[in-house]
Amino acid sequence: MLTGCVSNPTVVEEQKFNFLEKTLEKSAPTVILSHGSDCDTRHASDFATKLNDWGYNAIVLNHCVRRGIFSHISRAGYLSPWDRTEDYFKIASWIKKQKYHSGKIAVIGWSQGGSGVIAASDYQIQRNLGMKDEDINLIDAFVAYYPACDLAALPTKAERPFLIHHGVKDSLALIVKCPYGRLKDTNYRILKYADAGHSFDMPGPDVMACREPIGCYKSREYSSPAHKKSNDETKRFLDEHLK
């Protein structure tokens, strides 16, 4: 397995992000990973190792460093879902040219990274960002963990397979703001976890915080059962749609 941190702006045209490659020795599909509003890539990096074990290359994005952005939980405008969408498609275009990649590409995002995944799945947003026809279908499957649906609206029609994990007890990315009940498109698979909150797949003690204007919330409310089930379901989803 090879790893590397790439920050040379000539590697990806007009690059506004850094990225870490965790790749396999033989060519395989690739998964792009997108962190949340804390700008912390450690969980995504750990997940990338898991993806390698499952037989996928992984690219861990850092959307923040080159933009001079730090944690922005209550300031979503600092790094919008549309910024993230542009990053996903720029790195996807670059991935297609790499020897370690073959086949399809997926993107996984957590929290505000999940909001970016929602935006990236929307053909209209892609068009509004000026993407060319050949770029529209660069990403084949989408996974969002506890997305903030007030930052990016879920399209009624999912053009490509889309898996969503959301904890019912989430007090930060409120599940009531996501119109899951009226999303009937069969490309959507929406999994709700009754005893899970925000960051339910990140082991550790509960973390309570208060910030204006959103008030008090738990930024982490770990659930071991939800963590295991979401891992199993994500692997099943990727195996179905990338291999």
Side-chain angles (χ1 to χ4, degrees):
M1 181 174 67
L2 306 176
T3 63
C5 185
V6 181
S7 59
N8 186 337
T10 64
V11 172
V12 180
E13 185 179 358
E14 298 179 3
Q15 178 184 330
K16 294 182 180 179
F17 52 88
N18 286 349
F19 62 95
L20 173 72
E21 298 172 273
K22 288 194 173 184
T23 63
L24 303 174
E25 293 181 358
K26 62 179 181 179
S27 62
T30 302
V31 182
I32 302 163
L33 304 177
S34 180
H35 59 72
S37 60
D38 57 3
C39 297
D40 190 331
T41 62
R42 287 175 293 180
H43 180 67
S45 183
D46 290 342
F47 202 91
T49 301
K50 189 188 309 293
L51 286 167
N52 290 162
D53 293 340
W54 293 348
Y56 299 101
N57 299 304
I59 301 290
V60 180
L61 296 183
N62 186 318
H63 304 279
C64 296
V65 172
R66 295 183 66 83
R67 290 180 168 96
I69 298 172
F70 299 96
S71 178
H72 52 283
I73 291 174
S74 59
R75 299 180 294 277
Y78 282 25
L79 178 62
S80 75
W82 300 273
D83 294 327
R84 291 173 183 268
T85 293
E86 290 186 314
D87 291 354
Y88 303 153
F89 281 90
K90 283 179 180 176
I91 195 67
S93 179
W94 182 82
I95 287 168
K96 287 286 189 181
K97 303 169 186 174
Q98 305 312 303
K99 292 182 179 179
Y100 58 73
H101 173 76
S102 64
K104 297 180 178 181
I105 296 174
V107 60
I108 299 176
W110 288 265
S111 193
Q112 285 193 26
S115 304
V117 171
I118 289 174
S121 75
D122 191 328
Y123 272 15
Q124 188 57 56
I125 287 176
Q126 295 170 24
R127 294 293 187 189
N128 291 344
L129 291 172
M131 291 187 186
K132 300 175 182 178
D133 289 344
E134 59 266 30
D135 295 333
I136 292 292
N137 293 310
L138 279 170
I139 298 175
D140 302 281
F142 300 83
V143 181
Y145 282 77
Y146 33 87
C149 294
D150 52 343
L151 301 183
L154 280 157
T156 303
K157 179 175 176 56
E159 301 289 348
R160 286 149 291 178
F162 199 146
L163 173 63
I164 300 174
H165 302 285
H166 214 141
V168 174
K169 294 169 60 179
D170 199 318
S171 56
L172 179 56
L174 301 177
I175 197 169
V176 296
K177 295 189 176 182
C178 299
Y180 296 142
R182 57 183 175 83
L183 298 179
K184 306 302 182 184
D185 193 293
T186 56
N187 269 336
Y188 279 118
R189 177 161 170 73
I190 298 163
L191 299 176
K192 302 176 184 179
Y193 302 87
D195 296 321
H198 204 70
S199 302
F200 66 74
D201 57 329
M202 300 184 186
D206 289 1
V207 177
M208 179 67 95
C210 296
R211 292 175 186 253
E212 294 297 335
I214 57 179
C216 295
Y217 55 88
K218 287 185 177 180
S219 61
R220 179 170 63 200
E221 192 170 2
Y222 178 66
S223 167
S224 178
H227 184 191
K228 182 181 185 307
K229 181 173 174 58
S230 66
N231 276 349
D232 292 344
E233 292 291 344
T234 295
K235 182 181 185 301
R236 184 177 296 113
F237 177 83
L238 295 175
D239 289 348
E240 179 180 355
H241 297 293
L242 295 194
K243 289 185 175 179

